[in-house]
Amino acid sequence: SGINAEWPLRPGKKEGEPLDLHMVEIMSMEHKTEMDTKLIKGLVMDHGARHPDMPKKVTDAFILTCNVSLEYEKSEVNSGFFYKSADEREKLVKAERAFCDDKVQQIIDLKRELVGDSDKGFVVVNQKGVDPNSLDALAREGIVALRRAKRRNMERIVLACGGTAVNCFDELKPEQLGHAGLFYEHVLGDDKYSFIEECDNPQSVTILIKGPNKHTITQIKDAVRDGLRAVKNAIEDQMVVPGAGAFEIAIYQALQEYKNEVRGKQRLGVQAYADAMLIIPKCLAQNGGHDAQECLVKMLQEYKGVDKCVGLDLETGEAMYPAEAGIWDNYCVKKQLLNSATVISSNLLIVDEVMRAGMSSLKG
Protein backbone atom coordinates (compact mmCIF):
# COMPACT_ATOMS: atom_id res chain seq x y z
CA SER A 1 0.00 0.00 0.00
CA GLY A 2 3.03 2.26 0.12
CA ILE A 3 2.55 3.44 3.73
CA ASN A 4 5.78 4.39 5.45
CA ALA A 5 5.16 3.18 9.01
CA GLU A 6 7.53 5.74 10.52
CA TRP A 7 6.11 8.83 8.78
CA PRO A 8 2.86 9.06 10.82
CA LEU A 9 4.95 9.11 13.99
CA ARG A 10 7.47 11.74 12.91
CA PRO A 11 5.37 14.92 12.57
CA GLY A 12 4.16 14.95 16.18
CA LYS A 13 7.55 13.98 17.57
CA LYS A 14 9.19 16.82 19.40
CA GLU A 15 12.44 16.75 21.30
CA GLY A 16 11.90 15.24 24.75
CA GLU A 17 8.24 14.35 24.16
CA PRO A 18 6.93 10.77 23.95
CA LEU A 19 5.28 9.53 20.79
CA ASP A 20 1.48 9.67 20.80
CA LEU A 21 -0.21 7.04 18.63
CA HIS A 22 -3.57 8.74 19.19
CA MET A 23 -2.44 11.44 16.77
CA VAL A 24 -2.63 8.83 14.00
CA GLU A 25 -6.28 8.45 13.01
CA ILE A 26 -7.23 5.12 11.42
CA MET A 27 -10.27 5.38 9.13
CA SER A 28 -11.83 2.61 7.06
CA MET A 29 -13.90 2.59 3.87
CA GLU A 30 -15.52 -0.56 2.47
CA HIS A 31 -14.47 0.38 -1.03
CA LYS A 32 -12.10 -0.89 -3.76
CA THR A 33 -9.27 -3.23 -2.69
CA GLU A 34 -6.76 -3.41 0.14
CA MET A 35 -4.05 -2.14 -2.23
CA ASP A 36 -5.78 1.26 -2.23
CA THR A 37 -5.01 1.77 1.47
CA LYS A 38 -2.96 4.96 1.80
CA LEU A 39 -1.58 7.58 4.15
CA ILE A 40 -3.39 10.93 4.18
CA LYS A 41 -1.11 13.74 5.36
CA GLY A 42 -4.07 15.49 6.91
CA LEU A 43 -7.42 14.37 8.26
CA VAL A 44 -10.37 12.27 7.12
CA MET A 45 -13.75 12.73 8.85
CA ASP A 46 -16.71 10.40 8.52
CA HIS A 47 -19.29 13.12 7.84
CA GLY A 48 -19.77 15.94 5.34
CA ALA A 49 -21.49 19.27 4.77
CA ARG A 50 -25.19 19.45 5.61
CA HIS A 51 -26.33 21.79 2.83
CA PRO A 52 -26.73 20.76 -0.83
CA ASP A 53 -25.50 24.11 -2.18
CA MET A 54 -22.19 24.10 -0.33
CA PRO A 55 -19.05 23.48 -2.41
CA LYS A 56 -17.93 19.86 -2.60
CA LYS A 57 -14.30 20.79 -3.22
CA VAL A 58 -12.22 23.85 -2.33
CA THR A 59 -8.51 24.57 -2.65
CA ASP A 60 -6.16 26.77 -0.66
CA ALA A 61 -8.71 26.78 2.14
CA PHE A 62 -8.81 28.54 5.50
CA ILE A 63 -9.97 26.20 8.28
CA LEU A 64 -11.98 27.62 11.20
CA THR A 65 -12.26 25.16 14.09
CA CYS A 66 -14.87 26.20 16.63
CA ASN A 67 -17.09 24.99 19.45
CA VAL A 68 -19.88 27.55 19.17
CA SER A 69 -23.60 26.89 18.94
CA LEU A 70 -25.14 28.30 15.76
CA GLU A 71 -28.70 27.17 16.48
CA TYR A 72 -31.58 27.78 18.86
CA GLU A 73 -30.96 26.47 22.35
CA LYS A 74 -33.54 25.74 24.99
CA SER A 75 -33.04 27.54 28.27
CA GLU A 76 -31.74 25.55 31.21
CA VAL A 77 -34.63 26.74 33.40
CA ASN A 78 -38.33 26.87 32.72
CA SER A 79 -39.14 30.19 31.09
CA GLY A 80 -42.02 31.76 29.26
CA PHE A 81 -42.77 34.80 27.15
CA PHE A 82 -46.10 36.54 27.13
CA TYR A 83 -47.09 38.87 24.34
CA LYS A 84 -50.20 40.91 23.64
CA SER A 85 -49.95 41.27 19.88
CA ALA A 86 -48.40 39.67 16.81
CA ASP A 87 -45.88 42.50 16.60
CA GLU A 88 -44.46 41.62 20.00
CA ARG A 89 -44.17 38.00 18.94
CA GLU A 90 -42.34 38.98 15.78
CA LYS A 91 -39.91 41.07 17.80
CA LEU A 92 -39.15 38.04 19.98
CA VAL A 93 -38.54 35.83 16.96
CA LYS A 94 -36.23 38.41 15.40
CA ALA A 95 -34.33 38.83 18.66
CA GLU A 96 -33.80 35.09 18.95
CA ARG A 97 -32.81 34.86 15.31
CA ALA A 98 -30.40 37.78 15.66
CA PHE A 99 -28.53 35.87 18.37
CA CYS A 100 -27.46 33.25 15.80
CA ASP A 101 -27.28 35.60 12.83
CA ASP A 102 -24.73 37.83 14.55
CA LYS A 103 -22.36 34.86 14.98
CA VAL A 104 -22.84 33.77 11.38
CA GLN A 105 -22.23 37.31 10.16
CA GLN A 106 -18.92 37.41 12.03
CA ILE A 107 -17.81 34.30 10.12
CA ILE A 108 -18.96 35.81 6.82
CA ASP A 109 -17.16 39.10 7.53
CA LEU A 110 -13.92 37.24 8.29
CA LYS A 111 -14.27 35.20 5.11
CA ARG A 112 -14.79 38.32 2.99
CA GLU A 113 -11.79 39.99 4.62
CA LEU A 114 -9.42 37.08 3.95
CA VAL A 115 -10.74 35.60 0.71
CA GLY A 116 -12.30 38.53 -1.09
CA ASP A 117 -12.76 37.78 -4.79
CA SER A 118 -10.03 35.13 -4.96
CA ASP A 119 -10.55 31.40 -5.49
CA LYS A 120 -9.50 30.51 -1.96
CA GLY A 121 -11.86 28.40 0.12
CA PHE A 122 -13.24 28.75 3.62
CA VAL A 123 -14.23 25.79 5.80
CA VAL A 124 -15.96 25.86 9.18
CA VAL A 125 -15.78 22.76 11.39
CA ASN A 126 -18.07 23.13 14.39
CA GLN A 127 -18.35 20.74 17.32
CA LYS A 128 -21.86 21.99 18.09
CA GLY A 129 -24.92 22.34 15.88
CA VAL A 130 -25.68 24.66 12.97
CA ASP A 131 -29.36 25.31 12.17
CA PRO A 132 -30.77 25.37 8.60
CA ASN A 133 -30.95 29.18 8.42
CA SER A 134 -27.29 29.50 9.37
CA LEU A 135 -26.33 26.78 6.89
CA ASP A 136 -28.22 28.62 4.16
CA ALA A 137 -26.46 31.91 4.94
CA LEU A 138 -23.04 30.24 4.91
CA ALA A 139 -23.81 28.39 1.67
CA ARG A 140 -24.68 31.65 -0.11
CA GLU A 141 -21.18 32.90 0.72
CA GLY A 142 -19.53 29.70 -0.58
CA ILE A 143 -18.50 28.59 2.91
CA VAL A 144 -18.34 24.86 3.70
CA ALA A 145 -19.74 24.11 7.16
CA LEU A 146 -19.49 20.80 9.02
CA ARG A 147 -21.49 20.47 12.22
CA ARG A 148 -21.36 18.14 15.24
CA ALA A 149 -17.78 17.08 14.60
CA LYS A 150 -16.28 14.57 17.00
CA ARG A 151 -14.14 15.92 19.79
CA ARG A 152 -11.08 13.90 18.75
CA ASN A 153 -11.37 15.33 15.23
CA MET A 154 -11.46 18.86 16.62
CA GLU A 155 -8.16 18.27 18.41
CA ARG A 156 -6.56 16.70 15.36
CA ILE A 157 -7.68 19.40 12.93
CA VAL A 158 -5.74 22.00 14.90
CA LEU A 159 -2.66 19.77 14.90
CA ALA A 160 -2.96 18.98 11.19
CA CYS A 161 -3.89 22.41 9.81
CA GLY A 162 -2.64 24.80 12.47
CA GLY A 163 -4.58 27.60 14.13
CA THR A 164 -6.51 27.33 17.37
CA ALA A 165 -9.97 26.13 18.32
CA VAL A 166 -12.23 29.02 19.33
CA ASN A 167 -15.11 28.98 21.79
CA CYS A 168 -16.57 32.37 20.89
CA PHE A 169 -16.51 34.77 17.94
CA ASP A 170 -16.13 38.00 19.89
CA GLU A 171 -12.42 38.32 19.10
CA LEU A 172 -12.15 36.30 15.91
CA LYS A 173 -8.74 36.86 14.27
CA PRO A 174 -7.07 35.50 11.11
CA GLU A 175 -4.27 34.04 13.27
CA GLN A 176 -6.77 31.59 14.76
CA LEU A 177 -7.42 29.93 11.38
CA GLY A 178 -5.66 26.89 10.00
CA HIS A 179 -4.80 26.22 6.37
CA ALA A 180 -5.15 23.26 4.01
CA GLY A 181 -4.26 23.02 0.35
CA LEU A 182 -7.25 20.82 -0.49
CA PHE A 183 -10.64 20.06 1.05
CA TYR A 184 -13.15 17.80 -0.68
CA GLU A 185 -16.12 15.57 0.08
CA HIS A 186 -16.39 11.94 -0.99
CA VAL A 187 -19.77 10.19 -1.04
CA LEU A 188 -19.87 6.41 -0.72
CA GLY A 189 -23.43 5.11 -0.72
CA ASP A 190 -25.24 6.80 2.16
CA ASP A 191 -21.98 7.75 3.88
CA LYS A 192 -20.06 11.00 3.43
CA TYR A 193 -16.36 11.50 4.06
CA SER A 194 -14.55 14.84 4.28
CA PHE A 195 -10.85 14.97 3.33
CA ILE A 196 -8.49 17.69 4.52
CA GLU A 197 -5.20 17.27 2.65
CA GLU A 198 -2.03 19.07 1.60
CA CYS A 199 -1.43 20.56 5.05
CA ASP A 200 1.79 22.54 5.46
CA ASN A 201 3.23 20.79 8.53
CA PRO A 202 0.73 18.22 9.82
CA GLN A 203 1.21 17.11 13.42
CA SER A 204 -1.61 14.57 13.00
CA VAL A 205 -2.26 12.29 10.02
CA THR A 206 -4.77 9.67 8.91
CA ILE A 207 -4.30 6.15 7.59
CA LEU A 208 -7.22 5.41 5.26
CA ILE A 209 -7.85 1.67 5.07
CA LYS A 210 -9.82 0.34 2.12
CA GLY A 211 -11.02 -3.18 1.42
CA PRO A 212 -13.77 -5.14 -0.33
CA ASN A 213 -15.29 -6.50 2.92
CA LYS A 214 -15.25 -6.07 6.69
CA HIS A 215 -13.04 -9.11 7.29
CA THR A 216 -10.24 -7.72 5.09
CA ILE A 217 -10.51 -4.26 6.69
CA THR A 218 -10.31 -5.77 10.20
CA GLN A 219 -7.16 -7.70 9.29
CA ILE A 220 -5.50 -4.61 7.81
CA LYS A 221 -6.47 -2.53 10.87
CA ASP A 222 -4.82 -5.04 13.20
CA ALA A 223 -1.70 -5.17 11.03
CA VAL A 224 -1.43 -1.36 10.88
CA ARG A 225 -1.87 -0.99 14.64
CA ASP A 226 0.77 -3.66 15.29
CA GLY A 227 3.14 -1.98 12.85
CA LEU A 228 2.71 1.45 14.43
CA ARG A 229 3.35 0.06 17.91
CA ALA A 230 6.42 -1.82 16.67
CA VAL A 231 7.89 1.35 15.15
CA LYS A 232 7.04 3.33 18.30
CA ASN A 233 8.79 0.73 20.49
CA ALA A 234 11.88 0.72 18.26
CA ILE A 235 12.14 4.53 18.35
CA GLU A 236 11.75 4.65 22.14
CA ASP A 237 14.12 1.71 22.82
CA GLN A 238 16.75 3.01 20.38
CA MET A 239 17.67 -0.64 19.72
CA VAL A 240 16.34 -3.83 18.14
CA VAL A 241 17.20 -7.53 18.23
CA PRO A 242 17.44 -9.97 15.30
CA GLY A 243 14.14 -11.65 14.45
CA ALA A 244 13.12 -14.84 12.60
CA GLY A 245 13.83 -16.91 15.73
CA ALA A 246 17.51 -15.89 15.83
CA PHE A 247 17.22 -14.35 19.31
CA GLU A 248 15.87 -17.60 20.78
CA ILE A 249 18.49 -19.75 19.01
CA ALA A 250 21.26 -17.53 20.43
CA ILE A 251 19.83 -17.83 23.96
CA TYR A 252 19.58 -21.62 23.56
CA GLN A 253 23.24 -21.90 22.61
CA ALA A 254 24.30 -19.56 25.42
CA LEU A 255 22.37 -21.61 27.97
CA GLN A 256 23.91 -24.84 26.68
CA GLU A 257 27.35 -23.39 27.35
CA TYR A 258 26.27 -22.07 30.75
CA LYS A 259 24.91 -25.51 31.71
CA ASN A 260 28.44 -26.91 31.75
CA GLU A 261 29.30 -24.51 34.58
CA VAL A 262 26.36 -25.60 36.75
CA ARG A 263 26.44 -28.57 39.14
CA GLY A 264 23.63 -30.64 40.57
CA LYS A 265 19.98 -30.70 39.62
CA GLN A 266 20.08 -27.03 38.64
CA ARG A 267 21.45 -28.31 35.32
CA LEU A 268 18.00 -29.75 34.60
CA GLY A 269 16.40 -26.34 35.14
CA VAL A 270 18.86 -24.67 32.77
CA GLN A 271 18.20 -27.35 30.15
CA ALA A 272 14.41 -26.96 30.52
CA TYR A 273 14.72 -23.19 30.11
CA ALA A 274 16.88 -23.64 27.02
CA ASP A 275 14.42 -26.10 25.48
CA ALA A 276 11.57 -23.66 26.12
CA MET A 277 13.41 -21.04 24.05
CA LEU A 278 13.09 -23.28 21.00
CA ILE A 279 9.28 -23.13 21.04
CA ILE A 280 9.16 -19.90 19.01
CA PRO A 281 11.46 -21.18 16.19
CA LYS A 282 9.38 -24.39 16.13
CA CYS A 283 6.14 -22.40 15.78
CA LEU A 284 7.66 -20.30 12.99
CA ALA A 285 8.62 -23.46 11.10
CA GLN A 286 5.19 -25.05 11.56
CA ASN A 287 3.39 -21.87 10.48
CA GLY A 288 5.56 -21.79 7.37
CA GLY A 289 4.59 -25.39 6.52
CA HIS A 290 8.04 -26.87 7.25
CA ASP A 291 9.24 -29.70 9.45
CA ALA A 292 10.03 -28.14 12.83
CA GLN A 293 12.79 -30.56 13.88
CA GLU A 294 14.57 -30.38 10.55
CA CYS A 295 14.53 -26.58 10.59
CA LEU A 296 15.89 -26.51 14.16
CA VAL A 297 18.76 -28.80 13.23
CA LYS A 298 19.67 -26.61 10.23
CA MET A 299 19.64 -23.41 12.33
CA LEU A 300 21.71 -24.92 15.17
CA GLN A 301 24.27 -26.31 12.75
CA GLU A 302 24.54 -23.01 10.90
CA TYR A 303 24.88 -21.06 14.17
CA LYS A 304 27.88 -23.16 15.30
CA GLY A 305 29.78 -22.47 12.09
CA VAL A 306 29.44 -18.68 11.98
CA ASP A 307 29.70 -15.73 14.34
CA LYS A 308 26.28 -14.30 13.39
CA CYS A 309 22.71 -14.65 14.58
CA VAL A 310 20.90 -17.27 12.52
CA GLY A 311 17.15 -17.37 11.91
CA LEU A 312 14.66 -19.23 9.74
CA ASP A 313 13.64 -18.35 6.19
CA LEU A 314 9.91 -19.15 6.11
CA GLU A 315 9.83 -19.34 2.32
CA THR A 316 12.53 -21.98 1.90
CA GLY A 317 12.82 -23.51 5.38
CA GLU A 318 16.58 -22.91 5.33
CA ALA A 319 18.76 -21.01 7.79
CA MET A 320 19.30 -17.31 7.05
CA TYR A 321 20.82 -14.18 8.57
CA PRO A 322 17.95 -11.91 9.72
CA ALA A 323 20.20 -8.88 10.23
CA GLU A 324 21.16 -8.91 6.56
CA ALA A 325 17.53 -9.42 5.50
CA GLY A 326 16.31 -6.56 7.72
CA ILE A 327 14.18 -8.76 10.01
CA TRP A 328 14.09 -7.34 13.55
CA ASP A 329 12.14 -7.74 16.77
CA ASN A 330 11.46 -5.15 19.46
CA TYR A 331 13.88 -5.16 22.38
CA CYS A 332 11.20 -4.27 24.93
CA VAL A 333 8.93 -7.10 23.70
CA LYS A 334 11.65 -9.74 24.12
CA LYS A 335 12.63 -8.31 27.48
CA GLN A 336 9.03 -8.46 28.71
CA LEU A 337 8.62 -11.96 27.26
CA LEU A 338 11.59 -13.35 29.19
CA ASN A 339 10.59 -11.60 32.41
CA SER A 340 6.93 -12.65 32.26
CA ALA A 341 7.70 -16.25 31.33
CA THR A 342 10.14 -16.60 34.25
CA VAL A 343 7.76 -15.04 36.79
CA ILE A 344 4.76 -17.11 35.65
CA SER A 345 6.78 -20.35 35.70
CA SER A 346 8.06 -19.58 39.20
CA ASN A 347 4.53 -18.92 40.45
CA LEU A 348 3.28 -22.19 38.97
CA LEU A 349 6.10 -24.10 40.66
CA ILE A 350 5.26 -22.43 43.97
CA VAL A 351 1.65 -23.60 43.61
CA ASP A 352 2.88 -27.15 43.01
CA GLU A 353 5.03 -26.97 46.14
CA VAL A 354 2.12 -25.71 48.24
CA MET A 355 -0.19 -28.45 46.97
CA ARG A 356 2.49 -31.10 47.60
CA ALA A 357 2.99 -29.81 51.12
CA GLY A 358 -0.76 -29.89 51.72
CA MET A 359 -1.08 -33.48 50.51
CA SER A 360 1.83 -34.66 52.73
CA SER A 361 0.23 -33.08 55.81
CA LEU A 362 -3.04 -34.91 55.13
CA LYS A 363 -1.22 -38.23 54.90
CA GLY A 364 0.47 -37.57 58.25
Side-chain angles (χ1 to χ4, degrees):
S1 60
I3 294 178
N4 183 349
E6 185 184 358
W7 203 98
L9 302 177
R10 277 190 302 187
K13 176 79 169 118
K14 295 181 180 179
E15 193 68 29
E17 289 187 3
L19 294 173
D20 188 3
L21 290 182
H22 294 291
M23 290 302 100
V24 182
E25 173 81 352
I26 298 179
M27 287 289 295
S28 61
M29 294 175 64
E30 197 168 327
H31 180 51
K32 294 186 178 181
T33 67
E34 59 272 15
M35 297 305 296
D36 294 299
T37 297
K38 60 181 179 179
L39 172 68
I40 305 294
K41 297 178 182 178
L43 198 69
V44 180
M45 295 177 285
D46 54 357
H47 56 278
R50 295 299 181 183
H51 195 283
D53 295 335
M54 286 183 176
K56 304 300 180 185
K57 179 180 179 180
V58 293
T59 57
D60 196 10
F62 294 98
I63 310 293
L64 172 60
T65 308
C66 56
N67 183 23
V68 180
S69 178
L70 297 176
E71 62 181 350
Y72 283 140
E73 289 188 1
K74 294 183 179 179
S75 59
E76 296 180 0
V77 296
N78 292 329
S79 60
F81 180 79
F82 301 95
Y83 53 88
K84 299 178 182 178
S85 63
D87 293 338
E88 291 183 358
R89 181 182 178 279
E90 289 298 325
K91 289 181 181 179
L92 169 66
V93 173
K94 289 180 180 179
E96 286 183 330
R97 185 68 252 164
F99 182 73
C100 293
D101 290 344
D102 291 344
K103 299 178 185 178
V104 174
Q105 189 60 44
Q106 287 176 310
I107 298 175
I108 294 174
D109 293 341
L110 181 63
K111 186 258 183 183
R112 290 174 177 171
E113 176 186 348
L114 296 176
V115 176
D117 297 330
S118 65
D119 295 331
K120 295 182 178 180
F122 199 96
V123 180
V124 178
V125 183
N126 193 9
Q127 188 174 348
K128 293 185 178 179
V130 184
D131 63 21
N133 291 333
S134 299
L135 286 173
D136 189 56
L138 294 172
R140 287 197 299 269
E141 293 292 328
I143 298 174
V144 183
L146 282 70
R147 63 184 181 184
R148 306 199 188 283
K150 297 176 182 176
R151 181 178 178 183
R152 70 171 190 271
N153 286 337
M154 303 296 288
E155 297 172 355
R156 288 176 175 140
I157 289 174
V158 174
L159 292 170
C161 304
T164 56
V166 298
N167 294 315
C168 69
F169 294 151
D170 293 339
E171 296 181 358
L172 198 56
K173 300 177 182 177
E175 295 79 16
Q176 296 172 321
L177 303 183
H179 179 269
L182 177 63
F183 174 92
Y184 64 95
E185 185 179 294
H186 179 80
V187 180
L188 183 62
D190 295 332
D191 299 324
K192 291 183 179 181
Y193 296 87
S194 297
F195 289 73
I196 301 176
E197 298 186 25
E198 300 179 11
C199 301
D200 297 332
N201 183 27
Q203 303 296 315
S204 179
V205 296
T206 303
I207 296 178
L208 181 61
I209 297 175
K210 294 185 180 182
N213 50 61
K214 292 183 179 179
H215 174 69
T216 302
I217 291 174
T218 301
Q219 286 187 316
I220 298 175
K221 271 187 178 180
D222 293 339
V224 168
R225 287 196 178 100
D226 292 343
L228 289 175
R229 289 190 179 95
V231 174
K232 177 177 181 289
N233 291 336
I235 293 175
E236 291 180 345
D237 292 338
Q238 294 295 308
M239 63 183 74
V240 289
V241 296
F247 178 73
E248 289 75 14
I249 292 293
I251 291 181
Y252 174 82
Q253 293 287 14
L255 289 175
Q256 291 296 330
E257 297 176 2
Y258 174 70
K259 186 178 71 171
N260 298 327
E261 304 175 7
V262 179
R263 297 290 182 267
K265 65 179 182 179
Q266 283 81 6
R267 290 170 59 92
L268 299 176
V270 175
Q271 182 62 46
Y273 201 95
D275 292 338
M277 288 293 105
L278 296 179
I279 291 177
I280 290 181
K282 286 180 180 179
C283 289
L284 287 174
Q286 291 173 353
N287 292 340
H290 306 291
D291 183 82
Q293 293 299 332
E294 183 179 354
C295 291
L296 276 179
V297 171
K298 291 179 180 178
M299 285 189 289
L300 292 173
Q301 288 177 343
E302 183 73 19
Y303 185 81
K304 291 181 180 178
V306 296
D307 191 19
K308 296 180 181 179
C309 291
V310 178
L312 176 65
D313 189 338
L314 294 183
E315 294 184 0
T316 62
E318 301 293 330
M320 51 90 74
Y321 304 120
E324 296 179 0
I327 301 174
W328 305 98
D329 280 333
N330 287 127
Y331 165 78
C332 64
V333 173
K334 294 298 182 183
K335 178 181 176 182
Q336 188 67 27
L337 181 147
L338 293 176
N339 179 66
S340 299
T342 305
V343 171
I344 293 172
S345 301
S346 300
N347 291 338
L348 290 175
L349 292 174
I350 291 174
V351 172
D352 290 343
E353 292 292 336
V354 171
M355 293 183 65
R356 189 179 295 112
M359 294 298 294
S360 61
S361 63
L362 290 176
K363 291 178 181 178

